[in-house]
Amino acid sequence: MDDIAREIGISKKTIYQHFQDKEAIVEEVIKHELEKLRADMEQIEREADNPIEQMLQASRCLQREMNNVNPVLLFDIKKYCHNGWELFQSHKHEHVIKSVRRNLEKGIQQGLYREDLNVDLMARLHIEQIELVFDPTVFPINQYNPVEVKTQVLHHFLRGLLTEKGFQLYNQYVDQSVIEAKNQ
């Protein structure tokens, strides 16, 4: 609390006039970040040309966020901030899984994803895989680059969804990303 007060230039007493305790501050930050992320994902969903592009853009958005956050944050929230974890879980079930389901259904309709997919199962699997990337007991930060793990997990998941038509489009995006990376 001393660090927070010093950083924003107010007394701890003033902080406690607005927040009951440290966990209340964490909860407000989580609410703000989840709302911002939800808005970003909705914009990507509206603007993407197709479900494959949407998945790849959403992944890039999450990667930008990961670059600004310690990868063990999610694990720490789960362990130390029960209410904050519940906010995250609620967001996951009310927004993220539904968004992935819509993506999968649209991809099937467009012939980009396989028709035999169990949409509910695959949506949940995808979200759990993303969460797994943040678990330092599975992917220790000193051994694995979290961005690389997330990228590999996404491509593994996405390739398992694709039809031949989907593979052709996917490969165009992957080739374009390689070219852009070389030009940077």
Side-chain angles (χ1 to χ4, degrees):
M1 292 304 273
D2 289 328
D3 292 342
I4 293 171
R6 187 175 41 258
E7 184 70 28
I8 59 177
I10 63 173
S11 70
K12 285 193 326 185
K13 181 179 177 181
T14 303
I15 293 173
Y16 282 117
Q17 288 174 346
H18 297 282
F19 298 97
Q20 181 179 351
D21 54 24
K22 290 181 227 176
E23 189 164 330
I25 294 172
V26 172
E27 289 172 33
E28 284 303 313
V29 170
I30 291 170
K31 285 178 191 175
H32 173 77
E33 290 300 316
L34 290 176
E35 182 56 36
K36 188 172 82 169
L37 185 60
R38 185 183 63 75
D40 289 346
M41 292 299 131
E42 286 176 355
Q43 181 177 356
I44 289 168
E45 188 171 348
R46 283 190 309 272
E47 295 177 359
D49 290 335
N50 58 69
I52 296 170
E53 180 184 24
Q54 179 188 346
M55 280 273 197
L56 294 170
Q57 283 185 11
S59 176
R60 284 187 207 110
C61 180
L62 287 174
Q63 183 172 328
R64 284 190 301 271
E65 292 300 317
M66 283 177 65
N67 289 338
N68 298 322
V69 174
N70 186 322
V72 298
L73 177 65
L74 192 61
F75 188 75
D76 285 348
I77 290 171
K78 182 178 183 178
K79 188 173 180 180
Y80 300 113
C81 184
H82 178 74
N83 292 339
W85 182 250
E86 289 303 316
L87 288 169
F88 176 77
Q89 291 299 308
S90 176
H91 173 80
K92 180 172 85 171
H93 291 281
E94 292 176 19
H95 300 290
V96 182
I97 290 176
K98 288 178 183 177
S99 175
V100 174
R101 267 194 215 116
R102 287 191 302 271
N103 176 282
L104 295 172
E105 290 166 350
K106 189 174 180 182
I108 292 168
Q109 290 170 355
Q110 293 180 8
L112 301 173
Y113 298 159
R114 298 182 354 252
E115 290 183 5
D116 65 336
L117 295 176
N118 179 326
V119 171
D120 184 57
L121 185 143
M122 295 309 291
R124 288 177 182 275
L125 176 63
H126 182 55
I127 299 312
E128 294 303 322
Q129 286 178 329
I130 292 171
E131 204 172 301
L132 185 66
V133 168
F134 290 94
D135 187 338
T137 64
V138 178
F139 297 108
I141 298 170
N142 61 346
Q143 292 179 320
Y144 298 95
N145 177 325
V147 172
E148 176 67 17
V149 173
K150 184 198 66 57
T151 300
Q152 290 293 318
V153 167
L154 170 74
H155 286 286
H156 180 266
F157 175 79
L158 192 52
R159 289 175 61 89
L161 303 175
L162 299 172
T163 62
E164 286 301 317
K165 178 181 173 183
F167 267 113
Q168 291 174 2
L169 186 57
Y170 167 83
N171 287 330
Q172 289 175 11
Y173 287 114
V174 171
D175 291 344
Q176 179 182 354
S177 293
V178 169
I179 291 169
E180 288 172 0
K182 286 180 182 178
N183 291 332
Q184 291 181 356

